[in-house]
Amino acid sequence: MNWNTVKTLALAGAFAASLGSAAMAKDKIELIFPDVNPPNVPRSVALTDIFAKEIGDDFDFKPYFSGTLVKQGTELVAIQRGNAQMALLPPSDFAKQVPEFDILGAAYVIRDAEHLQKVFDSEVGDTFRKLAREKLGVEIIGVSYYGTRQVNLRGDKEIKTPADMDGVKLRMPGGESWQFLGASLGANPVPVAYSEVYVALQTGVIDGQDNPLPNDKAMKFYEVTNQIVLTSHNVGFGILVMSAEVFDKLTPEQQKTVKDAARKGFEWSNQQYIQQEADLVDFFKGEGLKVYTPDVKAFQDYAQEKYKSSPLSESWPAGMLEKINAL
């Protein structure tokens, strides 16, 4: 066999191999995932380092972090239009199209990371999975804890119950739901842009603000406040969804693999957030802030009564609050 023949056979083999590789790549299930968060936060790392590996070679997971693919708030529409296959979104994004999801973002409905998982493992979760499928065209794959909002104030007035919040000018994000959340704590909510909160605290335009503890550190709000009241009034979380059309094309084994992978990844990231919050309590105390827990039950009772007598609760499924509270 001469050299030309050897080269020809080698080239033919390489070409066949490349065709095979292309065919294999083409056969992979593409999962385009747009996200507004940076790639280094725990929930993002959970998806790239755990979820993507656990789902295996059947899938091609393509994350686009930091809002590089679509604008924040348009991820769900991108899935519905077929421009993306997955997204991790807060309940407020789902509520824009299906108001029943609003209950999940109300004060003291979801209590902590453990309660969040219980809710979605129960018949309550079944209700939202059905709504997501029938009205949004997406399959709920899993849920991810982001952190819990706490009240951060100027001054040394001790806060024990909602009555102690009377007259407190508490910065809340704009929008009816966010402003009502502030009122449900007994405070006087004031809309201020996030980027302006530090100066507003510094100058006394507002008396306080609420955010998860990692945000308080990142924005250095501890430099211009005196106390953190661990009201734990609102749990931030995301719901990981996949296009129902894509999910339905998977084998039962692939469907189970995807959901198991999401749960494994988020169990890891949940613990990262919980540990961060625990460590930050000591950090803020070290910075001279008073950090303490008020009568959380009094806040919960007050907030839920406010919601139940408000038009905001009219979209809540009948009996849903009681079911969630019982878990």
Side-chain angles (χ1 to χ4, degrees), residues 182-212:
S184 76
L185 300 175
N188 176 25
V190 179
V192 176
Y194 191 49
S195 60
E196 299 172 6
V197 172
Y198 186 98
V199 173
L201 286 166
Q202 189 177 42
T203 58
V205 171
I206 54 175
D207 302 314
Q209 60 88 34
D210 86 313
N211 262 296

Side-chain angles (χ1 to χ4, degrees), residues 27-292:
D27 289 339
K28 286 191 175 187
I29 300 156
E30 186 177 57
L31 299 177
I32 294 175
F33 174 82
D35 194 66
V36 69
N37 294 290
N40 60 338
V41 297
R43 56 187 180 269
S44 299
V45 175
L47 288 168
T48 55
D49 290 9
I50 300 176
F51 174 78
K53 293 178 181 178
E54 291 289 322
I55 57 178
D57 293 335
D58 289 346
F59 300 90
D60 183 15
F61 181 68
K62 293 182 176 179
Y64 293 84
F65 294 114
S66 303
T68 55
L69 187 65
V70 299
K71 292 180 180 179
Q72 184 177 14
T74 65
E75 297 93 341
L76 182 57
V77 174
I79 292 177
Q80 292 166 335
R81 291 178 176 173
N83 298 324
Q85 286 75 47
M86 297 186 72
L88 180 63
L89 305 170
S92 56
D93 278 21
F94 299 97
K96 292 174 186 176
Q97 296 185 40
V98 184
E100 289 92 332
F101 276 86
D102 243 344
I103 189 174
L104 298 174
Y108 294 106
V109 173
I110 303 298
R111 298 190 293 272
D112 52 35
E114 182 180 359
H115 184 234
L116 170 65
Q117 193 61 60
K118 280 184 179 179
V119 167
F120 277 87
D121 285 345
S122 71
E123 66 175 38
V124 172
D126 293 338
T127 297
F128 287 105
R129 277 185 283 275
K130 185 177 179 181
L131 285 168
R133 271 210 156 250
E134 295 180 353
K135 297 190 176 184
L136 296 171
V138 295
E139 175 76 15
I140 293 178
I141 303 299
V143 287
S144 174
Y145 173 80
Y146 294 173
T148 301
R149 297 178 82 93
Q150 314 289 359
V151 169
N152 174 212
L153 300 173
R154 289 159 46 95
D156 57 4
K157 177 186 177 183
E158 187 171 1
I159 304 296
K160 294 182 179 179
T161 69
D164 298 322
M165 294 288 288
D166 185 37
V168 172
K169 294 176 290 185
L170 186 69
R171 177 270 172 181
M172 298 296 295
E176 182 182 10
S177 294
W178 281 113
Q179 291 293 295
F180 190 86
L181 177 61
S184 76
L185 300 175
N188 176 25
V190 179
V192 176
Y194 191 49
S195 60
E196 299 172 6
V197 172
Y198 186 98
V199 173
L201 286 166
Q202 189 177 42
T203 58
V205 171
I206 54 175
D207 302 314
Q209 60 88 34
D210 86 313
N211 262 296
L213 298 185
N215 296 46
D216 293 341
K217 183 182 181 184
M219 298 299 287
K220 299 187 176 181
F221 295 145
Y222 61 90
E223 294 181 346
V224 287
T225 55
N226 306 99
Q227 58 176 310
I228 292 175
V229 189
L230 299 174
T231 49
S232 301
H233 55 275
N234 182 262
V235 169
F237 70 95
I239 303 172
L240 182 67
V241 294
M242 178 185 289
S243 160
E245 183 179 354
V246 173
F247 186 81
D248 289 345
K249 291 178 181 176
L250 305 182
T251 66
E253 292 77 15
Q254 288 173 327
Q255 291 176 349
K256 183 177 186 302
T257 294
V258 165
K259 291 193 174 183
D260 288 349
R263 193 178 191 111
K264 182 176 181 179
F266 291 146
E267 282 176 351
W268 175 85
S269 67
N270 290 356
Q271 290 307 310
Q272 302 305 304
Y273 285 112
I274 291 168
Q275 187 61 54
Q276 281 183 19
E277 291 174 308
D279 292 344
L280 283 172
V281 167
D282 291 334
F283 170 80
F284 291 127
K285 287 180 178 178
E287 291 295 319
L289 275 72
K290 183 179 179 182
V291 184
Y292 61 95

